[in-house]
């Protein structure tokens, strides 16, 4: 509280830009140790807006206008609040307080260490055991006669950024592990991330070797040989370097680099080309600027989107996962993944590959386990990358943002394959930055242990699980083949969209509308209620008449699909429409009038989905990456393909004039 100069300011006007708010709300602004709170004066609503200080990315102070002094709060979840304070002195006090409160200097200032939900000590301890990474390895069939648990890193003796419990090849002795660790950046030696029970291939992870131009290490070469021998069906392994080759070569001058295939005779080296954290930070800022455009033209929007390069980077991360998944599932070859230090791009590639390979990670709890394993326990630098404490801004980068977006892009191509919806991904994204829970605090497992977070804070996973009804995808069908098998996404550029649900919460020129998934959830709940009412009526009729009620089953005719649709197997319909444009209206009139004339014959035809695609895709080669299985279930793309939505409007932006008119 010592950083708060003015705890309360009245007659403040606020506009929430990201919610599409057109008129400023007047109320009282409060500053607490953890939140900025705005309470409207309207006695009917008394709406409250709470902004967690740790979610504030920046506080800007534009020039003063006649109506008062302005502040702009930009949040880490890309919400923007514009505040007008009548008195300049009050504005300066609020500005100084927010700048300090949004940049904590030590862990003890973070919200998670003061957050105290209504749970007792036993419940808090149980919350940390809700996700069990070791149980996930058992689900994979590990340990076995190929991969074993090692105590080499107990008490973090070999690598302080790795978890204490690791799995390594059975033939890897402690001497080999220690020797390999000394030859790897940050001591991050090859360890098991994912084991594929069908092919016995594995996904392992590590950091770059300290090879320089000619250095080599016998123990490290033996370690890679042990990884290869742990897969009886292959005589080599892929080493996937997720960096651009030019960057990897530059690291050789600093005594690091990549594996020399002359020394490692059992490997095939593959460079992916994911850029470093500095490029990604700059790219995301550009995509944020695109999302904040005020009434742009389509040309401006598309130019900004292309200039950001963001979707190109998302494509590179997804293609890394696709390569690994192909190697493991199709070729039956183990893969060793690394970047520079093995905690950013390596985590992205391994976790995307796991989502593609294993349907368990496409469930709500499965994604929790995956993030806990490949990100939390394997030492992703959460506090540095997401600016939990005031530190070096060059360490900040949207690494896990890109992973979550890859999952979202996959859910757009395969809408029936994921148990969770977009809201679950944005909730995880928010909690990564918010510091409300201790799950994502710190940079490694050892640091969390030293902070005693299990005793002083709470885990986020039980809370998300408790709210899982809100995060459930109504299209998810666990029994469908796309939900059970390996996902094979189409990675051509046109398949990637801007994630408007994250970067542009509401299209500014159109009122908020219900999402398709929310609509389907409401329809499903209403259908369940109607079925329950029908059952009750049946029971009452049967009780009154003394006879059971039987219903005649009606077969609904299937609608035929045109040959044009059957020839296409991507996520979008083709655009090579050959009819003259001038005849479109006439054709549409004919198409609409035909079912009206045949209403008596095809009464329920309008309720059917185009299932001809299902029959067609069943004959597709399963290795064809363009066979997007969202069409398998007859579900078309539910979201708008236009990235700009309603941005064509040229009306003046109300945010420009709301405060001036005040």
């Amino acid at each position: 509280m010592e950083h708060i100069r003015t705890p309360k300011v009245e007659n403040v006007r606020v506009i929430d830009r990201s919610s599409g708010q057109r008129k400023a709300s007047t109320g009282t602004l409060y500053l607490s140790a953890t939140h900025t709170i705005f309470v409207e004066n309207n006695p009917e609503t008394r709406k409250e807006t709470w902004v967690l200080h740790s979610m504030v990315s920046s506080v800007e102070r534009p020039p003063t206008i006649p109506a008062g002094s302005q502040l702009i709060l930009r949040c880490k979840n890309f919400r923007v609040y514009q505040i007008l304070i009548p008195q300049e002195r009050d504005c300066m006090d609020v500005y100084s307080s927010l700048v300090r409160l949004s940049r904590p200097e030590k862990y003890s200032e973070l919200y998670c260490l003061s957050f105290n939900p209504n749970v007792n000590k036993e419940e808090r301890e149980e919350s940390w055991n809700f996700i069990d990474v070791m149980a996930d390895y058992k689900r994979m069939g590990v340990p076995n006669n190929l991969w074993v648990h090692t105590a080499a890193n107990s008490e973090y003796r070999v690598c302080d950024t790795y978890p204490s419990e690791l799995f390594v090849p059975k033939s890897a002795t402690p001497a080999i592990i220690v020797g390999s660790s000394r030859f790897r950046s940050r001591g991050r030696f090859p360890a098991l991330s994912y084991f594929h029970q069908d092919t016995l291939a594995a996904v392992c992870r590590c950091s770059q070797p300290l090879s320089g131009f000619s250095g080599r290490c016998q123990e490290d070469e033996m370690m890679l040989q042990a990884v290869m021998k742990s897969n009886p069906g292959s005589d080599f392994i892929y080493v996937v370097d997720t960096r651009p080759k030019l960057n990897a070569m530059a690291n050789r001058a600093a005594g690091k680099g990549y594996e020399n295939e002359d020394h490692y005779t059992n490997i095939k080296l593959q460079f992916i080309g994911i850029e470093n954290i500095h490029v990604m930070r700059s790219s995301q800022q550009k995509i944020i600027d695109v999302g904040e455009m005020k009434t742009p033209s389509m040309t401006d929007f598309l130019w900004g989107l292309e200039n950001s390069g963001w979707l190109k980077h998302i494509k590179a991360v997804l293609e890394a996962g696709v390569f690994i998944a192909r190697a493991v599932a199709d070729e039956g070859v183990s893969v060793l993944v690394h970047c520079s230090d093995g905690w950013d791009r390596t985590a992205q590639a391994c976790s995307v590959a796991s989502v593609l390979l294993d349907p368990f990670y496409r469930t709500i709890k499965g994604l929790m386990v995956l993030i806990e394993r490949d990100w939390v326990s394997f030492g992703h630098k959460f506090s540095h990358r997401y600016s939990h404490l005031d530190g070096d801004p060059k360490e900040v980068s949207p690494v896990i943002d890109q992973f979550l977006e890859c999952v979202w892009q996959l859910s757009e191509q395969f809408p029936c394959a994921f148990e969770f919806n977009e809201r679950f991904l944005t909730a995880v994204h928010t909690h990564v930055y918010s510091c409300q829970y201790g799950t994502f605090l710190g940079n490694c497992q050892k640091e969390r242990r030293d902070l005693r977070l299990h005793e002083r804070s709470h885990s986020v996973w039980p809370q998300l699980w408790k709210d899982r009804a809100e995060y459930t995808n109504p299209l998810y069908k666990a029994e469908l083949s796309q939900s059970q098998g390996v996902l094979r996404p189409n990675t051509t550029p046109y398949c990637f969209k801007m994630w408007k649900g994250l970067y542009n919460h509401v299209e500014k020129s159109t009122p908020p509308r219900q999402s398709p998934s929310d609509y389907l959830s409401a329809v499903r709940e209403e259908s369940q209620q109607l079925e329950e009412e029908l059952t009750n009526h049946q029971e009452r009729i049967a009780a009154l008449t003394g006879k059971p009620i039987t219903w005649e089953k009606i077969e609904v005719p299937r609608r035929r699909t045109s040959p044009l649709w059957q020839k296409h197997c991507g996520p979008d319909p083709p655009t090579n429409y050959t009819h003259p444009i001038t005849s479109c209206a006439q054709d549409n009139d004919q198409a609409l009038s035909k079912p009206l004339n045949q209403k008596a014959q095809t009464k329920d035809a309008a309720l059917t989905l185009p299932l001809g695609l299902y029959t067609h895709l069943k004959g597709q080669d399963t290795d064809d990456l363009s066979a997007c299985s969202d069409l398998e279930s007859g579900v078309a793309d539910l979201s708008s393909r236009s990235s700009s939505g309603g941005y064509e409007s040229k009306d003046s932006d109300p945010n420009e004039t709301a405060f001036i008119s005040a």
Side-chain angles (χ1 to χ4, degrees), residues 110-232:
L110 293 177
Y111 181 43
C112 66
L113 299 182
S114 60
F115 176 60
N116 188 25
N118 189 22
V119 295
N120 55 39
K121 181 179 178 182
E122 290 74 17
E123 290 175 324
R124 182 186 64 203
E125 293 175 353
E126 289 177 4
S127 73
W128 286 104
N129 297 324
F130 180 74
I131 298 299
D132 188 353
V133 175
M134 290 297 110
D136 187 47
Y137 280 111
K138 290 180 181 178
R139 183 189 62 85
M140 300 180 206
V142 177
N144 51 38
N145 60 339
L146 303 173
W147 295 89
V148 297
H149 178 271
T150 178
N153 202 44
S154 60
E155 296 300 317
Y156 313 100
R157 290 175 297 184
V158 177
C159 177
D160 60 355
T161 60
Y162 261 3
S164 59
E165 296 184 281
L166 292 165
F167 291 95
V168 295
K170 187 175 182 179
S171 57
T173 64
I176 292 176
I177 294 172
V178 173
S180 176
S181 174
R182 291 172 179 168
F183 191 66
R184 294 279 168 176
S185 178
R186 311 283 183 173
R188 296 171 68 90
F189 58 90
L192 179 67
S193 173
Y194 176 76
F195 179 73
H196 196 274
Q197 288 181 278
D198 294 339
T199 63
L200 302 183
V203 179
C204 301
R205 56 183 296 171
C206 62
S207 60
Q208 64 182 337
L210 305 178
S211 56
F213 290 102
S214 58
R216 61 187 300 181
C217 172
Q218 183 179 3
E219 289 85 0
D220 194 63
E221 294 169 18
M222 294 172 65
M223 187 68 174
L224 268 63
Q225 185 75 12
V227 172
M228 186 270 292
K229 289 181 178 179
S230 293
N231 181 6

Side-chain angles (χ1 to χ4, degrees), residues 324-343:
I324 297 168
R326 274 180 173 174
V328 171
D330 298 342
E331 301 179 44
V333 178
S334 295
V335 182
L336 177 65
V337 187
H338 71 73
C339 49
S340 295
D341 293 321
W343 48 45

